[in-house]
Amino acid sequence: NQVNRVILLSDGLANVGPDSPQALADLGSSLRREGISVTTLGLGNGYNEDLMSRLAGTSDGNHAFVESPRDLVRIFDAEFKDAMAIAALDVEISVTCQPGVKPLRIMNRDGDIRDRVVTVKLTQVLSSQEKYILVELELPAGTSGQTLPVATTRVSFRNQQTKAQEKLDSAVSASFTADVALAEKSVQKDVKKDVVLQLATEANERAVQLRDEGKVKEAKQALQDNAAMLKGAASALSAPALEQYAQQNEAAAGAVDSEQWADKRKEMREEQYQNKTQQTY
């Protein structure tokens, strides 16, 4: 019945114990199974942001790039507020697809796909926070007017207030239509906005990989293309958050071939992580 959290601060590279992103990811997974989350705070520009973000991600903690010691006050305040606002622990989300429906991938979190069942586990959820997972599915062809059962979902968790184990169930279906206008009207803009954000985050990650490979020109172009896509979606969906991420991608494109790239790369990893996990700060 405890809230268990480790806050790891580092200003350099791992030099004792596990020292690769995958090894730290495995450590994070083992800690999450024990109900322990790890928040990783990278100080300055000497730490390994790939390693730190993987450890935070697999343990369901937070991750931040700390450029200045002054930032630590704000971050520690946020961490304590998070710990005091936890509503649910040991959260498990399962999506069971109907026959003929194929789960392709989980877009924004680590999870497990076995046959038609998708499972994602979270250490905790805050009372003032909305978290989501996005699962990409492949549906069989249908005919106009047909309604197709797609999946059932279950969220099980331990209520932090009552200590009781609880669960929530729901079902999802899809309707087919030949009416393009009707299909466009049925789009859920809040979900579409999240999908665009995750696709843009994936593109941002690919740009970092290109830059790591020395493909500076290609990385810059990828970030510029990403910014343009985000601006179009921000206008169509009336989504200021997408416009803000577009500006961040433009700034990253300007730093790809500059001396500021090391710091910018850390900022980008932090933004990618926050986009995927809906971090509160």
Side-chain angles (χ1 to χ4, degrees):
N1 296 323
Q2 301 275 336
V3 173
N4 302 301
R5 181 172 301 191
V6 172
I7 299 178
L8 171 66
L9 297 91
S10 175
D11 62 354
L13 306 176
N15 50 27
V16 176
D19 61 358
S20 71
Q22 185 55 54
L24 267 292
D26 293 341
L27 174 60
S29 296
S30 67
L31 291 170
R32 183 174 62 184
R33 286 192 291 271
E34 296 182 52
I36 302 170
S37 62
V38 182
T39 287
T40 59
L41 307 179
L43 310 178
N45 60 8
Y47 72 94
N48 184 328
E49 59 267 30
D50 296 339
L51 182 151
M52 296 278 274
S53 60
R54 287 293 298 280
L55 174 57
T58 53
S59 68
D60 197 28
N62 296 323
H63 171 64
F65 169 34
V66 184
E67 288 190 85
S68 165
R70 292 188 300 271
D71 295 332
L72 285 172
V73 175
R74 171 182 58 83
I75 291 171
F76 270 93
D77 280 349
E79 283 292 317
F80 280 111
K81 287 178 182 176
D82 277 6
M84 297 298 291
I86 291 175
L89 294 168
D90 303 328
V91 182
E92 180 173 305
I93 304 106
S94 63
V95 180
T96 303
C97 297
Q98 297 292 343
V101 177
K102 180 181 179 181
L104 300 179
R105 62 175 179 141
I106 306 165
M107 294 182 67
N108 63 317
R109 291 183 178 275
D110 291 331
D112 182 60
I113 298 178
R114 296 189 181 184
D115 297 324
R116 293 184 288 110
V117 180
V118 179
T119 305
V120 175
K121 296 182 179 181
L122 305 177
T123 306
Q124 60 216 358
V125 174
L126 310 183
S127 59
S128 58
Q129 182 181 42
E130 179 181 277
K131 293 206 173 196
Y132 64 80
I133 64 168
L134 286 173
V135 181
E136 185 176 357
L137 306 175
E138 182 179 85
L139 273 62
T143 58
S144 184
Q146 176 188 357
T147 297
L148 176 74
V150 174
T152 58
T153 64
R154 168 166 289 185
V155 180
S156 61
F157 59 95
R158 182 156 51 89
N159 186 311
Q160 175 65 357
Q161 184 174 11
T162 66
K163 312 302 181 186
Q165 194 71 23
E166 299 183 16
K167 62 183 178 181
L168 301 168
D169 295 305
S170 65
V172 181
S173 62
S175 299
F176 292 88
T177 180
D179 186 334
V180 175
L182 180 61
E184 291 178 349
K185 185 178 180 181
S186 72
V187 170
Q188 296 182 23
K189 287 190 175 182
D190 57 337
V191 177
K192 182 71 171 179
K193 178 196 69 175
D194 292 335
V195 170
V196 170
L197 181 63
Q198 296 309 322
L199 291 173
T201 300
E202 291 176 352
N204 192 273
E205 290 175 328
R206 287 194 295 272
V208 171
Q209 183 177 350
L210 288 169
R211 178 62 175 80
D212 290 347
E213 295 170 354
K215 299 175 182 178
V216 177
K217 184 178 179 181
E218 292 88 340
K220 190 168 190 174
Q221 187 62 56
L223 288 165
Q224 291 171 340
D225 291 345
N226 206 27
M229 183 276 290
L230 281 162
K231 286 185 175 182
S235 176
L237 298 171
S238 302
L242 298 183
E243 176 64 34
Q244 181 180 358
Y245 197 38
Q247 294 172 4
Q248 292 169 341
N249 275 262
E250 288 178 330
V256 161
D257 52 0
S258 74
E259 295 179 356
Q260 286 74 45
W261 172 248
D263 283 353
K264 180 56 68 175
R265 190 184 192 279
K266 287 175 169 55
E267 289 178 11
M268 292 169 71
R269 280 287 186 249
E270 181 183 37
E271 291 159 1
Q272 292 161 7
Y273 188 84
Q274 291 172 351
N275 290 344
K276 289 180 177 180
T277 63
Q278 301 81 60
Q279 186 170 310
T280 56
Y281 65 87

